[in-house]
Amino acid sequence: MSQTVKTPPAVGAPAESSNRVTLGLSNRLLARPEVGALVAAILIFIFFLIVAPAFRSGGSFFTVLYQSSTIGIVAVAVGMLMIGGEFDLSAGVLTTSAGLINAMLCYQLGLNLWVGALVSLVATLAIGFLNGYLVVRTGIPSFLITLGTFFTLQGANLGITKLVTGSVSTANINQMEGYASLHAVFASSFRIGGITVWGVVVWWIVFIALSAYVLQRTKVGNWIYAVGGNADSARAVGVPVRKVKIGLFMTVAFLAWFIGMHTLYNFNTLQSGNGVGNEFLYIIAAVVGGTLMTGGYGNAIGVAIGAFIFGMTSLCIVYAGWDPNWFKAFLGVMLLLAVLVNLYVKKLSTTRKVG
């Protein structure tokens, strides 16, 4: 009989060879999606503290937070949708559609504003569902589907408002039944130490926390990353790709409805042309915050930092006494830099340590 003899490995020799690269601490930090945005936010914050004396007060800082929240709330959902590999170009005008439905329906029919808010929510979610359904059923890129929705809603907002009210804005609703409670939910504010804090900022923090929890701690979050990384592979391992994508579009619609309610109950009236262009601000906030446009990478904290950079820059340019037209130039530069940084960070994140 022959006997197989096992030769023990040499002392100090590795059990198996590997061509993987070990990441240092600095590279591991850089591989976090939000780190680049955080560094940029700190530098911009310090810069405007120096050049814009008006920014140095607590009141100005909370005004910046308010400005950031009006973009940041919808950007939370847009960021999740982009992680899932899709875009929604209708989100900006959808916020206005939500408010217009609420205001005109109740004013013309004499309904309680809560009824109009609920009808508006159902209609807005239906639009989000339709966007998602068309994307997953037809295979047409979401860019084109939602671009069509954008133009449809933009024309309907202007045309129907003028047909119903005779102008391009809604009537003042602050004397209608249900206004006080809706204003308290969507547009309230309170004071702390003489500084006004808007309730929508608190809501923004809540939505950031919920998004972060879903993405990092739940099975649905894993599905979102898997779908955005490779939808075919995700489908092969049992991920309900269609349901995930439709759900993400409906999440965008829900938060668009929320901001539509805030805008309506904060100003008591609504211009039908509002919201056009905001869809790009949501995407910019997500990209500046580390979300890749190719999907599968990003997080809620990064999107929040991206929205904060937007709010800080848009107001601090005014605080510094500069021409506000420079803001658009800044957004363009930030977007280009963010794309380059994100590609580098993604390259780092795909490098794995030796097992």
Side-chain angles (χ1 to χ4, degrees):
M1 291 177 64
S2 62
Q3 184 177 4
T4 302
V5 179
K6 295 182 179 179
T7 304
V11 178
E16 60 183 60
S17 62
S18 173
N19 58 358
R20 292 180 179 179
V21 179
T22 301
L23 288 177
L25 176 61
S26 60
N27 280 352
R28 290 200 301 272
L29 287 175
L30 285 174
R32 296 286 303 173
E34 71 276 16
V35 169
L38 179 61
V39 172
I42 292 172
L43 293 176
I44 294 169
F45 184 84
I46 294 172
F47 174 74
F48 280 118
L49 281 179
I50 296 172
V51 303
F55 181 47
R56 299 169 192 168
S57 69
S60 296
F61 177 75
F62 276 93
T63 301
V64 166
L65 286 181
Y66 169 76
Q67 180 77 355
S68 303
S69 68
T70 59
I71 294 298
I73 285 179
V74 184
V76 167
V78 169
M80 293 177 71
L81 179 65
M82 290 175 63
I83 292 171
E86 303 293 349
F87 293 91
D88 191 341
L89 296 182
S90 67
V93 292
L94 189 55
T95 63
T96 303
S97 299
L100 291 174
I101 292 171
N102 188 180
M104 290 193 295
L105 181 67
C106 294
Y107 189 84
Q108 298 301 318
L109 300 181
L111 300 175
N112 187 297
L113 287 170
W114 275 103
V115 175
L118 293 175
V119 171
S120 173
L121 174 59
V122 172
T124 306
L125 289 176
I127 293 170
F129 174 84
L130 181 62
N131 280 338
Y133 181 79
L134 289 175
V135 168
V136 300
R137 288 294 294 176
T138 66
I140 298 173
S142 55
F143 175 88
L144 295 176
I145 294 289
T146 57
L147 183 61
T149 306
F150 164 84
F151 284 117
T152 301
L153 292 178
Q154 183 185 21
N157 288 349
L158 293 166
I160 295 176
T161 303
K162 193 166 185 179
L163 179 66
V164 172
T165 68
S167 67
V168 294
S169 63
T170 64
N172 193 309
I173 60 169
N174 64 0
Q175 300 300 317
M176 296 180 64
E177 186 178 359
Y179 172 83
S181 54
L182 282 163
H183 182 272
V185 172
F186 294 106
S188 62
S189 62
F190 54 93
R191 295 184 69 81
I192 298 179
I195 296 174
T196 299
V197 180
W198 283 268
V200 71
V201 174
V202 178
W203 280 113
W204 181 35
I205 295 171
V206 170
F207 291 134
I208 293 168
L210 286 174
S211 175
Y213 177 79
V214 169
L215 287 173
Q216 303 299 326
R217 301 291 183 182
T218 70
K219 179 168 64 175
V220 173
N222 291 333
W223 288 349
I224 292 171
Y225 282 107
V227 168
N230 190 314
D232 292 333
S233 297
R235 187 179 292 107
V237 296
V239 175
V241 173
R242 290 184 175 183
K243 291 182 179 179
V244 169
K245 290 194 175 188
I246 291 174
L248 289 172
F249 277 103
M250 293 182 71
T251 301
V252 173
F254 172 74
L255 292 186
W257 170 81
F258 189 94
I259 286 298
M261 295 300 98
H262 166 72
T263 305
L264 175 62
Y265 292 101
N266 191 44
F267 298 104
N268 305 331
T269 185
L270 202 59
Q271 295 287 327
S272 58
N274 286 355
V276 176
N278 284 355
E279 58 279 348
F280 296 113
L281 300 182
Y282 307 145
I283 293 173
I284 289 171
V287 172
V288 169
T291 305
L292 286 183
M293 300 184 76
T294 52
Y297 189 77
N299 63 29
I301 302 302
V303 176
I305 295 172
F308 177 69
I309 290 175
F310 162 83
M312 179 167 52
T313 306
S314 63
L315 287 181
C316 286
I317 284 178
V318 177
Y319 290 156
W322 300 343
D323 184 349
N325 290 318
W326 284 107
F327 172 63
K328 294 295 179 65
F330 172 83
L331 278 183
V333 172
M334 282 296 298
L335 180 60
L336 291 174
L337 290 176
V339 170
L340 294 174
V341 170
N342 289 349
L343 289 174
Y344 175 70
V345 168
K346 177 63 174 177
K347 183 178 179 180
L348 289 178
S349 73
T350 55
T351 307
R352 293 291 183 262
K353 187 177 179 179
V354 176

